[in-house]
Amino acid sequence: YTGGAHGMYVTSFLNLDLRTLAPVTLDDLFVGEYTDELTRLLWEQLMKDNGVATQEELRDLGYASTGELTPTENFYIDDRGITFYYNVYDIAPYVMGPVTITLKREDVAHLIGDASLWGTDLK
């Protein structure tokens, strides 16, 4: 606690390639110029999760008021797909808590190539 209105907390995920113990980044999972398309998919999923039809409606709810929604390196992968984890204040005010957005593997399959770690060895 540093004297603000409330305490702060952060959750960070570290994904490792167990063969090399090197951190796994989005560049290891996706190929080509994936950032814009992945951002679009994140916005679409967040709209579905919140039952709205536009980014403006999400902004009215408070999303993207403290930072822009872009793919974050704070992610984890499980059998549901890839989940992007945004801590408080990353893209929304403290009152909204952390934000998670899960994209199913089939939704991002077109961004995964043969050279991708996710396309070959990821389990």
Side-chain angles (χ1 to χ4, degrees), residues 82-114:
I82 183 168
T83 298
F84 294 87
Y85 190 96
Y86 300 90
N87 282 293
V88 295
Y89 292 121
D90 282 348
I91 63 168
Y94 183 89
V95 69
M96 294 176 76
V99 177
T100 59
I101 306 171
T102 300
L103 301 176
K104 296 177 185 171
R105 183 183 167 107
E106 56 265 23
D107 293 340
V108 295
H110 62 290
L111 302 175
I112 302 170
D114 292 338

Side-chain angles (χ1 to χ4, degrees), residues 13-17 21-25 29 73-77:
F13 294 93
L14 176 62
N15 302 284
L16 294 175
D17 181 336
L21 298 182
V24 174
T25 66
L29 302 176
E73 292 290 342
N74 198 22
F75 67 89
Y76 63 89
I77 296 173

